[in-house]
Each structure stands twice: as C-alpha cells, then as structure tokens.
Amino acid sequence: MFEIEKLLRENIKKLVPYSSARDEFKGEAAVFLDANENSFGSPLPRNYNRYPDPLQWKLKEKIAQIKGVPPQHIFLGNGSDECIDIAYRAFCNPAEDNVVLCPPTYGMYEVSARINDVKVRTVKLTEDFQLDLPGIEAATDEHTKLIFLCTPNNPTGNSMDRSAIEAILNNFDGIVVIDEAYINFARHRSFIPELTEYPNLVVLQTLSKAWGLAALRVGMAFSSIPVIEVFNKIKPPYNINQASQELALQALENINAVNSWTKAIVEERGKLEQALVQLPFVLKIYPSEANFLLVKTTDAVKIYNYLVGKGIIVRDRSKVELCEGCLRITVGTPEENRQLVECLSAF
Ligand SMILES: *Cc1c(COP(=O)(O)O)cnc(C)c1O
C-alpha cells in the first residue's frame, strides 16, 4: 500500500512553505503594494513588472484539456529536469536512501541523484534494451524511494514493454517515475490514464521535444494529488516565469501544427533510417519510437569528428554502456537529413 507519509523525508513533512504576496492575497484589486514590484512598469513593450502566478493555473487548465487530467494532478517544472530534482528532494534522505536506474538512459537521473547525495543502484537494460525485472527486484530494498523508467528511452529510442512497467507498478511501493519525454513520437499509449490506479506513479512529459519549446523550459509532472501537493510545497515560488507561461499557453493553441510536425518527423525518421542503413560503416540502426536514431557504426569517434568538420553535430554515445560504437542522431528537416546523408556517403 502506498502511503505518502511513509515515503516523505521528515524535513519535508514538517516544512512550512514560503508564502508569497500572491499566496496571501489572490483576488482582484485596483492597487497592489504588497510585493515590492516596480509599479511604474517594465522597460519593455510589454509589462513584466508583476510576479507571475506561482501555480500557473491558466497554463495547467489548458494542459488539462489536452491531456485529459484535472489541473490539480499537474505540476509544472522549469523543464522536466526540475521535476526530477524535486522528486529526489521530496523523498530521498541524503546519504541514506537510494534510487534504481536502468542505464543506458537519460543522464540527469544520475546527476540529480549525485547532487542530492542519493545512492544510485544501476540495473543495466538487457541486450535488447528492455527492463531486467529480476535485477530491479534484487536491487530494491527498504531505502529505495524512487525508480526511474524512460519510455521511449533516451538514448536507445525504444519503448519498454508495458507489462514489465506494470509489474514494477504492482510490486514497488516507492515512487515510480515514468519519463515520457518522447511520447508524441511513440506508438504506445501514455501511462497518464494509469494515474487513477497508482497513487505512487509520476509521469513526466515536456514541451521541449515534440512541442518545439526547449528554450521556454516547461516540464510537466502528472501524479496523484498528495504527490503534486508535496512538489508544490518544495518548488521555488515562481519557478515558471511569466514569459514562459504566456508563450506556452499560446503555443498550446497550435496543437494541429505540432501534430503535423510530429507526423512529418516520424516519416523522416523512417527515410533517414533507410538511407543510413545502406552505408558500409553502419552496423545497425536500433528501432526508434523517438525523434532520433541510435546508430551503431564501425568507428563512432572518427565519424563524429568528420561530421563536426562538415558543420554537422550529432551525439557521440560510444562511451555509454551497451552503446559501443553508437552515435545518436536527431531527426532533422528533410534538407538537414539530406545534407547529413550526403556527407556520410562521402566518408
Ligand atoms: C530531453 C529530455 C528531457 C528534458 O526535458 P526538459 O523538459 O527540457 O528538462 C527529459 N527526459 C528525457 C528522457 C529527455 O531526453
């Protein structure tokens, strides 16, 4: 049974959160002299002199419509990276608790654990990049507060078997974080509907990838109300700035454009794969459900440096466990992909 009280750190349980001016008076008024803002305005065409809504309700209501989740189940972070950090700070006692990670996967889970002095237990993915369930079970003990799963996974590009994730959700009483940064490009369904079944589930999504808003830094965590309330208590009061809130809201009105780009990226991914697989130094292209391809080559470093010389930057993942010889290549526009293939054909 999940009981958030048992998982939370003592200091977080006892924490009295910062109460901002906008927490203490929320209504309409003619004159606001409570937050030490500059009442004259901003030296900009638009006014940014007032602090933004700390809980970003307008933006959350729009996200709620799109995702089919009530806004009280949504937390917004300064990128998903902030959501990852806050999960550690809420649940993991430094130098005492641990997290289970399944590499090769997104690097921030480990970096954020180390920053928070949380012990990292790694259980490698299998050769076909799936979860090693017996390994995960063996690595888990009473100090394991979090398990991070990434599907589709970065840098491997594949989705995890749904039944394996469900087995973890059914057997682990700590927090299970499922990072769905690439869900828009995947065939599998989101785990968001599973939130009603599992109060210990946190689903992460982001506006940085398919939505094309990496610079705005808006990450989303969906979870049960007790978890969201704890995240809200810990976060910096104004973690999503006014410009990001406004622009994200505006962008979310253009869902059709994003859906057609996503379709185009998935098509381009297929074309790029077909072109790359013909090259003699390409040994393997792993099946991808994301907006990138993991490509196994005979000499990743040489190819990487050659491409840098041509002004094309890909990601060298050849030093990563299970990714020997691999480059991670983001799917670009048709023209960018054409340039890449042309350069590689001359290598
Ligand atoms: C890119 C990426 C993120 C980053 O998200 P931000 O919202 O930009 O911080 C999170 N998780 C994975 C797996 C990613 O690849």
Side-chain angles (χ1 to χ4, degrees):
M1 252 300 279
F2 170 73
E3 285 177 57
I4 194 164
E5 294 296 314
K6 279 197 194 147
L7 279 182
L8 278 178
R9 292 169 63 191
E10 263 326 295
N11 62 316
I12 300 299
K13 245 188 269 179
K14 291 196 199 120
L15 179 70
V16 180
Y18 176 72
S19 181
S20 70
R22 281 293 70 74
D23 291 318
E24 291 178 15
F25 181 87
K26 291 190 171 110
E28 298 291 320
V31 181
F32 280 101
L33 302 175
D34 59 348
N36 299 345
E37 298 149 338
N38 186 338
S39 298
F40 286 65
S42 322
L44 285 173
R46 283 199 50 127
N47 269 343
Y48 287 105
N49 54 326
R50 301 295 178 187
Y51 282 100
D53 175 5
L55 291 171
Q56 313 101 13
W57 285 116
K58 269 195 190 151
L59 182 51
K60 282 180 186 168
E61 271 155 26
K62 187 72 202 170
I63 293 169
Q65 271 176 26
I66 293 173
K67 302 288 175 185
V69 186
Q72 302 85 336
H73 289 263
I74 305 174
F75 172 85
L76 299 181
N78 193 296
S80 315
D81 292 346
E82 185 176 48
C83 306
I84 294 167
D85 178 67
I86 286 182
Y88 283 115
R89 288 197 279 152
F91 297 109
C92 299
N93 290 297
E96 186 180 318
D97 290 329
N98 67 70
V99 60
V100 170
L101 303 178
C102 304
T105 192
Y106 184 48
M108 276 309 288
Y109 311 143
E110 175 159 357
V111 172
S112 201
R114 305 250 175 247
I115 290 169
N116 288 289
D117 198 11
V118 174
K119 293 177 184 145
V120 174
R121 296 191 169 179
T122 56
V123 181
K124 262 197 304 185
L125 296 176
T126 60
E127 284 294 319
D128 57 348
F129 298 144
Q130 289 296 325
L131 297 167
D132 167 6
L133 284 184
I136 291 172
E137 188 169 3
T140 306
D141 67 10
E142 72 275 16
H143 288 293
T144 307
K145 298 293 179 67
L146 298 172
I147 299 180
F148 278 89
L149 307 172
C150 188
T151 183
N153 187 37
N154 176 6
T156 60
N158 64 298
S159 295
M160 301 296 154
D161 285 338
R162 201 170 186 94
S163 56
I165 296 180
E166 281 166 357
I168 294 170
L169 283 167
N170 287 322
N171 289 301
F172 178 60
D173 286 334
I175 300 288
V176 180
V177 182
I178 303 181
D179 188 341
E180 298 185 335
Y182 300 98
I183 189 71
N184 305 62
F185 307 103
R187 278 186 303 264
H188 75 256
R189 284 174 298 117
S190 167
F191 273 85
I192 284 179
E194 266 48 66
L195 290 172
T196 50
E197 298 262 335
Y198 303 104
N200 59 331
L201 169 61
V202 175
V203 176
L204 299 182
Q205 293 188 7
T206 177
L207 298 185
S208 298
K209 306 286 158 67
W211 279 94
L213 300 170
L216 295 191
R217 311 306 303 129
V218 180
M220 302 169 272
F222 303 90
S223 191
S224 58
I225 288 173
V227 171
I228 298 297
E229 282 178 347
V230 169
F231 284 13
N232 282 335
K233 200 164 127 169
I234 297 177
K235 76 179 184 71
Y238 305 106
N239 61 326
I240 311 288
N241 69 67
Q242 180 68 22
S244 289
Q245 289 191 42
E246 284 169 7
L247 290 168
L249 192 60
Q250 211 179 318
L252 290 168
E253 298 293 340
N254 293 325
I255 191 162
N256 291 335
V258 172
N259 286 342
S260 69
W261 269 341
T262 302
K263 233 177 119 213
I265 290 168
V266 169
E267 271 173 38
E268 279 301 310
R269 182 180 76 201
K271 286 188 207 160
L272 183 61
E273 182 180 352
Q274 280 175 17
L276 293 177
V277 80
Q278 323 232 351
L279 300 169
F281 49 84
V282 169
L283 300 174
K284 180 168 185 175
I285 301 180
Y286 293 91
S288 172
E289 299 214 35
N291 63 343
F292 57 83
L293 292 170
L294 187 71
V295 181
K296 200 179 198 60
T297 65
T298 51
D299 196 339
V301 175
K302 228 180 186 165
I303 297 164
Y304 174 83
N305 288 326
Y306 165 79
L307 285 174
V308 170
K310 301 281 180 191
I312 298 176
I313 314 303
V314 298
R315 197 87 193 265
D316 176 11
R317 299 279 81 184
S318 62
K319 309 281 181 300
V320 173
E321 228 175 357
L322 297 178
C323 297
E324 293 77 18
C326 288
L327 298 172
R328 194 193 69 191
I329 304 178
T330 305
V331 178
T333 63
E335 174 53 24
E336 288 170 336
N337 300 334
R338 192 197 59 72
Q339 281 181 38
L340 171 76
V341 172
E342 188 180 292
C343 280
L344 284 175
S345 303
F347 173 73

PDB file of all heavy atoms in Angstrom, residues 4 23 35 96 102 159 242 245 269 272 274 317 330:
ATOM      1  N   ILE A   4       1.995   8.100   1.343  1.00  0.00           N
ATOM      2  CA  ILE A   4       2.994   9.132   1.071  1.00  0.00           C
ATOM      3  C   ILE A   4       3.728   9.534   2.355  1.00  0.00           C
ATOM      4  O   ILE A   4       4.933   9.810   2.327  1.00  0.00           O
ATOM      5  CB  ILE A   4       2.367  10.344   0.345  1.00  0.00           C
ATOM      6  CG1 ILE A   4       3.484  11.223  -0.226  1.00  0.00           C
ATOM      7  CG2 ILE A   4       1.421  11.135   1.235  1.00  0.00           C
ATOM      8  CD1 ILE A   4       3.056  12.205  -1.256  1.00  0.00           C
ATOM      9  N   ASP A  23       0.313  34.422  -2.689  1.00  0.00           N
ATOM     10  CA  ASP A  23      -0.392  33.378  -1.940  1.00  0.00           C
ATOM     11  C   ASP A  23      -1.335  34.019  -0.920  1.00  0.00           C
ATOM     12  O   ASP A  23      -2.417  33.516  -0.658  1.00  0.00           O
ATOM     13  CB  ASP A  23       0.596  32.475  -1.179  1.00  0.00           C
ATOM     14  CG  ASP A  23       1.421  31.613  -2.116  1.00  0.00           C
ATOM     15  OD1 ASP A  23       0.835  31.080  -3.079  1.00  0.00           O
ATOM     16  OD2 ASP A  23       2.635  31.465  -1.871  1.00  0.00           O
ATOM     17  N   ALA A  35       4.075  43.490  -2.951  1.00  0.00           N
ATOM     18  CA  ALA A  35       5.128  42.566  -3.388  1.00  0.00           C
ATOM     19  C   ALA A  35       6.430  43.274  -3.769  1.00  0.00           C
ATOM     20  O   ALA A  35       7.328  42.647  -4.340  1.00  0.00           O
ATOM     21  CB  ALA A  35       4.630  41.713  -4.558  1.00  0.00           C
ATOM     22  N   GLU A  96      21.463   8.193   2.640  1.00  0.00           N
ATOM     23  CA  GLU A  96      20.745   7.084   3.277  1.00  0.00           C
ATOM     24  C   GLU A  96      19.887   6.333   2.259  1.00  0.00           C
ATOM     25  O   GLU A  96      19.957   5.109   2.164  1.00  0.00           O
ATOM     26  CB  GLU A  96      19.875   7.682   4.388  1.00  0.00           C
ATOM     27  CG  GLU A  96      19.171   6.674   5.254  1.00  0.00           C
ATOM     28  CD  GLU A  96      18.334   7.380   6.327  1.00  0.00           C
ATOM     29  OE1 GLU A  96      18.816   8.375   6.921  1.00  0.00           O
ATOM     30  OE2 GLU A  96      17.187   6.955   6.532  1.00  0.00           O
ATOM     31  N   CYS A 102      18.127   2.457 -14.719  1.00  0.00           N
ATOM     32  CA  CYS A 102      18.338   1.383 -15.703  1.00  0.00           C
ATOM     33  C   CYS A 102      19.084   1.899 -16.925  1.00  0.00           C
ATOM     34  O   CYS A 102      18.463   2.215 -17.946  1.00  0.00           O
ATOM     35  CB  CYS A 102      16.999   0.783 -16.097  1.00  0.00           C
ATOM     36  SG  CYS A 102      16.048   0.181 -14.683  1.00  0.00           S
ATOM     37  N   SER A 159      10.739   1.696 -26.876  1.00  0.00           N
ATOM     38  CA  SER A 159       9.799   1.712 -25.758  1.00  0.00           C
ATOM     39  C   SER A 159      10.039   0.485 -24.892  1.00  0.00           C
ATOM     40  O   SER A 159      10.464  -0.560 -25.382  1.00  0.00           O
ATOM     41  CB  SER A 159       8.371   1.675 -26.279  1.00  0.00           C
ATOM     42  OG  SER A 159       8.113   2.855 -26.997  1.00  0.00           O
ATOM     43  N   GLN A 242       6.801  34.456 -16.209  1.00  0.00           N
ATOM     44  CA  GLN A 242       5.602  34.955 -16.896  1.00  0.00           C
ATOM     45  C   GLN A 242       5.696  34.769 -18.409  1.00  0.00           C
ATOM     46  O   GLN A 242       4.734  34.347 -19.051  1.00  0.00           O
ATOM     47  CB  GLN A 242       5.398  36.439 -16.553  1.00  0.00           C
ATOM     48  CG  GLN A 242       4.194  37.098 -17.183  1.00  0.00           C
ATOM     49  CD  GLN A 242       2.883  36.544 -16.632  1.00  0.00           C
ATOM     50  OE1 GLN A 242       2.838  35.987 -15.528  1.00  0.00           O
ATOM     51  NE2 GLN A 242       1.817  36.672 -17.410  1.00  0.00           N
ATOM     52  N   GLN A 245       5.095  31.180 -19.271  1.00  0.00           N
ATOM     53  CA  GLN A 245       3.681  30.809 -19.081  1.00  0.00           C
ATOM     54  C   GLN A 245       2.826  31.310 -20.244  1.00  0.00           C
ATOM     55  O   GLN A 245       2.014  30.570 -20.800  1.00  0.00           O
ATOM     56  CB  GLN A 245       3.137  31.389 -17.766  1.00  0.00           C
ATOM     57  CG  GLN A 245       3.707  30.719 -16.530  1.00  0.00           C
ATOM     58  CD  GLN A 245       2.969  31.115 -15.248  1.00  0.00           C
ATOM     59  OE1 GLN A 245       1.748  31.207 -15.212  1.00  0.00           O
ATOM     60  NE2 GLN A 245       3.717  31.335 -14.172  1.00  0.00           N
ATOM     61  N   ARG A 269      12.114  10.061 -39.971  1.00  0.00           N
ATOM     62  CA  ARG A 269      12.882   9.066 -39.212  1.00  0.00           C
ATOM     63  C   ARG A 269      13.009   7.775 -40.023  1.00  0.00           C
ATOM     64  O   ARG A 269      14.086   7.202 -40.135  1.00  0.00           O
ATOM     65  CB  ARG A 269      12.177   8.799 -37.878  1.00  0.00           C
ATOM     66  CG  ARG A 269      12.887   7.823 -36.975  1.00  0.00           C
ATOM     67  CD  ARG A 269      12.101   7.630 -35.687  1.00  0.00           C
ATOM     68  NE  ARG A 269      10.940   6.780 -35.877  1.00  0.00           N
ATOM     69  CZ  ARG A 269       9.872   6.747 -35.065  1.00  0.00           C
ATOM     70  NH1 ARG A 269       9.806   7.520 -34.000  1.00  0.00           N
ATOM     71  NH2 ARG A 269       8.860   5.940 -35.317  1.00  0.00           N
ATOM     72  N   LEU A 272      15.302   8.433 -43.086  1.00  0.00           N
ATOM     73  CA  LEU A 272      16.700   8.574 -42.675  1.00  0.00           C
ATOM     74  C   LEU A 272      17.285   7.201 -42.338  1.00  0.00           C
ATOM     75  O   LEU A 272      18.408   6.877 -42.725  1.00  0.00           O
ATOM     76  CB  LEU A 272      16.782   9.512 -41.457  1.00  0.00           C
ATOM     77  CG  LEU A 272      18.165   9.837 -40.927  1.00  0.00           C
ATOM     78  CD1 LEU A 272      19.014  10.535 -41.993  1.00  0.00           C
ATOM     79  CD2 LEU A 272      18.068  10.744 -39.682  1.00  0.00           C
ATOM     80  N   GLN A 274      16.379   4.335 -43.557  1.00  0.00           N
ATOM     81  CA  GLN A 274      16.609   3.589 -44.804  1.00  0.00           C
ATOM     82  C   GLN A 274      17.868   4.057 -45.513  1.00  0.00           C
ATOM     83  O   GLN A 274      18.594   3.253 -46.092  1.00  0.00           O
ATOM     84  CB  GLN A 274      15.415   3.757 -45.736  1.00  0.00           C
ATOM     85  CG  GLN A 274      14.260   2.841 -45.344  1.00  0.00           C
ATOM     86  CD  GLN A 274      13.029   3.100 -46.206  1.00  0.00           C
ATOM     87  OE1 GLN A 274      13.115   3.714 -47.269  1.00  0.00           O
ATOM     88  NE2 GLN A 274      11.884   2.629 -45.737  1.00  0.00           N
ATOM     89  N   ARG A 317      27.671   8.674 -28.472  1.00  0.00           N
ATOM     90  CA  ARG A 317      27.263   7.882 -27.300  1.00  0.00           C
ATOM     91  C   ARG A 317      28.122   6.618 -27.175  1.00  0.00           C
ATOM     92  O   ARG A 317      27.761   5.681 -26.483  1.00  0.00           O
ATOM     93  CB  ARG A 317      25.781   7.479 -27.400  1.00  0.00           C
ATOM     94  CG  ARG A 317      24.809   8.642 -27.457  1.00  0.00           C
ATOM     95  CD  ARG A 317      24.512   9.238 -26.094  1.00  0.00           C
ATOM     96  NE  ARG A 317      25.532  10.139 -25.658  1.00  0.00           N
ATOM     97  CZ  ARG A 317      25.553  10.744 -24.472  1.00  0.00           C
ATOM     98  NH1 ARG A 317      24.599  10.555 -23.609  1.00  0.00           N
ATOM     99  NH2 ARG A 317      26.541  11.542 -24.141  1.00  0.00           N
ATOM    100  N   THR A 330      19.651  13.071 -34.066  1.00  0.00           N
ATOM    101  CA  THR A 330      18.301  13.641 -34.043  1.00  0.00           C
ATOM    102  C   THR A 330      17.795  13.756 -35.475  1.00  0.00           C
ATOM    103  O   THR A 330      18.557  14.121 -36.374  1.00  0.00           O
ATOM    104  CB  THR A 330      18.335  15.042 -33.403  1.00  0.00           C
ATOM    105  OG1 THR A 330      18.945  14.938 -32.122  1.00  0.00           O
ATOM    106  CG2 THR A 330      16.934  15.622 -33.245  1.00  0.00           C
TER     107      THR A 330
END
